[in-house]
Amino acid sequence: MKPLLYVTRRLPEETIDMLSAHFEVSGWESEETPVPREILEREIEKVDALYCLITDTIDAALLEKAKNLKVISTLSVGFNHIDIEAAKAQNIAVTNTPGILTDTTADLTFALLMATARRIPEASEHLRNNEWRSWSLFSLTGRDIHHATIGIIGFGAIGQAVAKRAKGFDMNVLYYNRSRKYEAEEMLGASYQELDELLKKSDFVCILTPYSAETKDLITARELKLMKKTAVLINTARGGIVNEDDLYDALVHGDIYAAGLDVFAEEPIAPDHKLLTLPNLVALPHIGSSTIDTRLGMCRLAAQNLIDFMQGKRSNIVNG
Ligand code: NAP
């Protein structure tokens, strides 16, 4: 008998076909709504493998119920929704999908940077609201991107891909990372800075670290006050790395010029959240990797990780 697999969201048929050749597959059938906790608690008791998304909280209490589980594959590069140490203690491998979404997420990061600096959503609203009276000298003026200084916090795969794009705009690239990236420094002409120095010198600050105990509240009022009043903050990594109350205050008081967020502490963000009332905040609903090709590729890679594991190959294991 094939091992049992539970899938927490409806997947494309091609991915299910791929998985069905190796597993008895069952799953939550909605494409839009996450599986309810009580159903996941029931299903995880039975299965050998779990295919999940960032909307599923796989904590120690849930894992305790998993008697046969050997592997969890998440359809994401970030894995902060899974207690990987608790999984390891139970000898459960956790896999993710690095690489495949790097360029797509870097594209979105740069798109959000440009949209925020040049006030594109606001300008589009202005036109649609019939407020465009004539060409105007200082209406909807933004900030220059070309030749500006970008500071990238978290210089991994996506951070470096953003640096590549920045080079195309003749930007001066600074980075901060917990470990020095000498090869990337040379290849991309990027210069390492301590965090405070990067914040003081950058016109654009992009956050691209994982979310962890160390990066929670990495950017608070103190860090925002170090930034230039003309600077733009972009977070396409995870909510919670930037303290949202402090960011709101900084945007209201003009401590920084604007911010662009693809991620929030609570997702989906409440439609009446105070951040969404600010004209100098561009907000996106966590669409960093959201292109058809990349999402299909992620579906396949997350499936392949499970198949590889069952065949004794260790692909993209993050807790091993
Ligand atoms: P990655 O290649 O693992 O890069 C992460 C980088 O962050 C690494 O260079 C790592 O340093 C550094 N880092 C980790 N902890 C740090 C800390 N405490 N202080 C400073 N630097 C630290 O990952 P990636 O593929 O670039 O993805 C980065 C993150 O983006 C993911 O974890 C995910 O949360 C987020 N993401 C969001 C979206 C979206 O849809 N918005 C899409 C994809 C990814 P070391 O090299 O020393 O480990």
Side-chain angles (χ1 to χ4, degrees), residues 11 53 87 100 121 204 221 236-237 241 247 313:
L11 295 177
L53 275 64
I100 188 125
F204 295 90
T236 47
I241 300 176
L247 177 62
K313 286 184 240 154

Side-chain angles (χ1 to χ4, degrees), residues 20 26 52 55 65 91 97 104-106 117 121 134 162 197-198 202 221 226 231 294 297 311:
S20 298
S26 63
C52 71
T55 46
K65 298 183 185 296
N91 213 13
T97 60
T104 299
T105 309
S134 89
V162 168
E197 281 307 299
L198 177 146
S202 299
L226 291 177
T294 293
Q311 294 177 341

Side-chain angles (χ1 to χ4, degrees), residues 143-162:
R143 295 278 159 202
D144 274 331
I145 298 158
H146 66 89
H147 297 95
T149 295
I150 185 170
I152 301 172
I153 301 175
F155 211 51
I158 302 170
Q160 291 177 32
V162 168

